[in-house]
């Protein structure tokens, strides 16, 4: 996209009342993406694993979507994490692994009670050799009663055809030993 195209896409931006850092999240829908990153991170004393997907085609090509499954056993307020949150996070991790074509070792979750840091590290390591795999990412938005301007974002993942690597063609000059003829540089026109 050229600078002119980007500027044209901002036709509804009002600098007097709109925020610069407004929500630039991908809209709900299905996207052909590649898994471009899996990282173990921490923020405000909370750990998480972040899956980064990059859109490969269409209007939003090049844009990224981050998914943050949490395996923390307590909430930020110190209450036990609801089971449905942990279940959804584990399902998300297992589903991503499945649709990009590798058997995720479920034993990784066995250590969850003991050390969530090691679990996040093992997840990051397990996915590291699968970066670049393609899949379909579906973003589903649902109403947020407490903050209607920021709907909840849910995700699902589907298999996508993996790109193929073209076979190398034979060098057509492989059997040619070359020429013994000397080239006089004075006869070269440049």
């Amino acid at each position: 996209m050229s600078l002119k195209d980007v500027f044209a896409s901002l036709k509804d931006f009002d600098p007097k009342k709109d925020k610069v850092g407004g929500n630039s999240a991908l809209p709900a829908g299905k996207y052909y993406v590649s898994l471009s990153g899996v990282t173990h991170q921490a923020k405000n004393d909370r750990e998480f694993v972040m899956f980064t997907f990059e859109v490969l085609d269409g209007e939003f090509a090049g844009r990224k979507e981050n998914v943050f499954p949490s395996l923390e056993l307590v909430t930020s307020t110190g209450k036990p994490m609801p089971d449905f949150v942990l279940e959804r996070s584990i399902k998300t991790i297992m589903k991503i692994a499945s649709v990009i074509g590798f058997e995720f070792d479920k034993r990784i979750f066995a250590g969850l009670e003991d050390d969530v840091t090691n679990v996040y590290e093992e997840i990051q390591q397990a996915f590291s050799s699968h970066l670049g795999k393609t899949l379909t990412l579906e973003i589903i938005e649902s109403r947020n009663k407490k903050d209607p301007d920021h709907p909840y974002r849910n995700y699902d993942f589907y298999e996508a055809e993996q790109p193929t690597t073209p076979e190398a063609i034979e060098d057509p000059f492989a059997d040619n030993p070359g020429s013994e003829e000397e080239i006089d540089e004075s006869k070269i026109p440049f």
Side-chain angles (χ1 to χ4, degrees):
M1 190 181 271
S2 72
L3 188 58
K4 180 179 177 182
D5 294 336
V6 172
F7 179 74
S9 72
L10 297 173
K11 65 180 182 274
D12 295 328
F13 176 72
D14 183 348
K16 292 184 180 184
K17 56 182 180 169
D18 293 340
K19 292 183 179 181
V20 172
N23 186 0
S24 62
L26 290 169
K30 287 187 177 183
Y31 301 93
Y32 178 59
V33 299
S34 70
L35 177 62
S36 60
V38 180
T39 55
H40 170 214
Q41 298 187 9
K43 183 177 181 180
N44 300 330
D45 296 328
R46 308 285 299 165
E47 292 182 83
F48 56 91
V49 65
M50 180 174 75
F51 289 83
T52 302
F53 301 96
E54 184 172 347
V55 179
L56 297 174
D57 61 8
E59 177 184 354
F60 298 102
R63 296 270 302 272
K64 295 184 178 183
E65 182 74 15
N66 296 316
V67 177
F68 304 91
S70 174
L71 300 173
E72 294 290 330
L73 299 174
V74 294
T75 68
S76 59
T77 61
K79 296 179 183 176
M81 185 68 73
D83 287 346
F84 80 90
V85 174
L86 294 170
E87 287 174 7
R88 181 174 39 202
S89 293
I90 291 170
K91 286 178 182 178
T92 297
I93 294 165
M94 291 173 62
K95 180 85 180 254
I96 294 168
S98 174
V99 301
I100 62 174
F102 85 97
E103 185 73 29
F104 185 73
D105 188 352
K106 298 174 185 113
R107 292 177 294 177
I108 288 174
F109 296 116
L112 194 54
E113 295 287 336
D114 304 317
D115 187 0
V116 72
T117 299
N118 281 340
V119 173
Y120 285 133
E121 288 294 322
E122 287 185 44
I123 291 169
Q124 178 179 325
Q125 186 174 2
F127 279 90
S128 67
S129 62
H130 300 281
L131 298 180
K133 296 284 188 164
T134 59
L135 61 150
T136 298
L137 165 68
E138 182 177 19
I139 301 171
I140 305 130
E141 292 185 343
S142 58
R143 190 170 150 244
N144 180 347
K145 293 177 188 174
K146 293 180 183 177
D147 189 359
D149 291 336
H150 297 93
Y152 293 118
R153 292 174 70 80
N154 295 295
Y155 302 93
D156 210 345
F157 308 91
Y158 306 94
E159 287 184 30
E161 188 173 325
Q162 298 300 315
T164 58
T165 305
E167 290 185 31
I169 58 171
E170 283 189 40
D171 182 357
F173 304 105
D175 295 330
N176 184 353
S179 172
E180 298 292 324
E181 184 179 336
E182 292 289 324
I183 299 175
D184 182 3
E185 290 185 21
S186 66
K187 294 182 180 176
I188 299 175
F190 44 86

